[in-house]
Amino acid sequence: MDIAPAARAAPRYWVHLLLFLLTVVTTFTSYLLYFHFQRPYSLDEVTAEAAQRALSFSLSLLAILGTHEMGHYVLARIHRVDTSLPYFIPLPVLGVGTLGAVIRIRDRIPHRNALVDIGAAGPLAGLVVAIPILYWGLSHSTVVDAPQVPSRFPGDASLWAYGREVFAWVMAKVTHAPPEPEPVFNGVQTIFGDSLLMQGLTRLALGPLPEGKDVLVHPVVIAGWFGLLVTLLNLMPMGQLDGGHLAFALLGRHAHWVGRAMAAVLLFLTLFVTASWGLWLLVTSKVVGFGHPEVLEPLEPLSPTRKWICALCMLALIGCAMPVPLRQVVS
């Protein structure tokens, strides 16, 4: 006797719409809190212009994130893999107001060619939207005077630097050394890391920047920058990240060694460049992991076109890479 498979639950479109609208609100308010308001905060600063800038940031960011997930969704449906529409994840007050968006894949991937198509479609689709947004935003940005901030190795925010400070504090307590005078701070400046892709787009939109100059960016540039960061994180060849799908399609069961090598790179960056990479190292190694489920038809060969797509995604990973995504500089 054949048993009919259980019927799928009807799509709840209102859930997807509600989460999208909530994420518009949280990203809108996060822009005002972290990129517009002067401290202490004042509601008098929420002018029509400020609201317009916050909305342009919110919609640009969600366009990039939404296109990324829709790339996965469309290619999954083309390969007849059952999947959900994107779920946006609002994050009130913290960060940029969202943890991104996800889709739920309910079926096994049929073969390695489909795995490449589905895995690569997200980051490549996101870049197709992010690059013109960044170029337009940079073209509408302003070049201003700015002091050069030197880079150090080990980085000031690395675990090595923090450990050195803790050691110095302990030794000062043990030896009863007189306390050093407290430095006077005028403010904290957030500096966004420059990837090769960001540097190229800046040069294309504004020309070479003279020494002592920087860019006061339009809000959509900040959204595009976070879009590049999301692309970078997803393209890392680890577990079931987008890059992990591509690595498994190319290398099969040996792909986990590539993921472990990437984890070693993240550990190095955490120890000697910036401790902020430690969170992503923890997420990828303990939550995402290094394994990957087998496809249904493992013997179907990977086509040459899919190998070129993997190479293109590798170039995208290199273009989006930035050793220090964000720096807090005290002046």
Side-chain angles (χ1 to χ4, degrees):
M1 181 178 66
D2 294 332
I3 299 176
R8 299 286 189 190
R12 294 181 292 176
Y13 297 112
W14 66 269
V15 174
H16 300 276
L17 179 59
L18 177 61
L19 288 174
F20 172 78
L21 294 176
L22 287 174
T23 309
V24 171
V25 173
T26 55
T27 50
F28 179 94
T29 54
S30 289
Y31 174 84
L32 293 176
L33 285 172
Y34 296 110
F35 303 112
H36 176 75
F37 278 158
Q38 301 295 320
R39 294 170 176 82
Y41 304 133
S42 171
L43 292 178
D44 294 339
E45 295 182 64
V46 187
T47 61
E49 180 185 359
Q52 183 180 13
R53 293 172 69 85
L55 186 61
S56 65
F57 166 82
S58 174
L59 296 181
S60 297
L61 179 60
L62 297 191
I64 297 168
L65 299 178
T67 303
H68 180 121
E69 293 305 322
M70 285 304 295
H72 292 314
Y73 174 83
V74 170
L75 266 295
R77 297 307 294 261
I78 289 174
H79 285 286
R80 300 188 178 185
V81 176
D82 187 28
T83 186
S84 71
L85 286 167
Y87 292 94
F88 284 89
I89 307 173
L91 185 66
V93 179
L94 299 176
V96 292
T98 180
L99 289 175
V102 297
I103 60 172
R104 182 184 176 191
I105 296 179
R106 306 184 184 96
D107 289 336
R108 293 270 299 278
I109 307 298
H111 41 72
R112 292 191 292 159
N113 289 312
L115 188 60
V116 170
D117 291 347
I118 296 170
L124 294 181
L127 284 177
V128 167
V129 175
I131 288 174
I133 283 177
L134 280 167
Y135 179 79
W136 184 92
L138 288 166
S139 300
H140 290 76
S141 299
T142 306
V143 177
V144 296
D145 294 325
Q148 295 296 312
V149 180
S151 297
R152 298 183 177 89
F153 184 85
D156 294 335
S158 65
L159 282 185
W160 179 275
Y162 290 145
R164 187 171 53 198
E165 291 177 6
V166 170
F167 178 77
W169 179 83
V170 170
M171 292 302 297
K173 293 296 182 183
V174 170
T175 60
H176 303 287
E180 296 184 2
E182 292 289 334
V184 178
F185 299 137
N186 296 321
V188 178
Q189 180 185 8
T190 300
I191 298 179
F192 293 86
D194 261 352
S195 61
L196 292 175
L197 185 54
M198 194 72 187
Q199 291 178 23
L201 287 170
T202 302
R203 189 179 185 90
L204 187 63
L206 298 171
L209 295 180
E211 194 76 21
K213 298 289 184 178
D214 204 348
V215 182
L216 184 63
V217 297
H218 191 279
V220 303
V221 176
I222 302 175
W225 183 91
F226 278 105
L228 297 188
L229 179 62
V230 168
T231 302
L232 167 64
L233 298 180
N234 276 280
L235 279 177
M236 290 185 180
M238 305 175 75
Q240 294 192 61
L241 297 176
D242 297 340
H245 294 324
L246 304 180
F248 185 83
L250 283 168
L251 302 173
R253 289 176 295 175
H254 300 292
H256 73 95
W257 291 112
V258 179
R260 294 180 188 278
M262 188 72 242
V265 172
L266 290 176
L267 178 60
F268 175 84
L269 292 173
T270 301
L271 289 174
F272 299 111
V273 181
T274 173
S276 59
W277 281 116
L279 177 60
W280 193 238
L281 173 62
L282 182 64
V283 169
T284 51
S285 59
K286 298 302 182 183
V287 180
V288 177
F290 302 108
H292 193 288
E294 186 60 87
V295 295
L296 292 175
E297 303 170 20
L299 297 181
E300 179 170 330
L302 194 63
S303 71
T305 300
R306 272 50 176 237
K307 293 178 182 179
W308 281 109
I309 292 174
C310 290
L312 179 61
C313 287
M314 175 61 73
L315 289 177
L317 173 65
I318 295 171
C320 293
M322 39 188 144
V324 185
L326 287 171
R327 295 174 64 189
Q328 297 284 335
V329 178
V330 179
S331 57

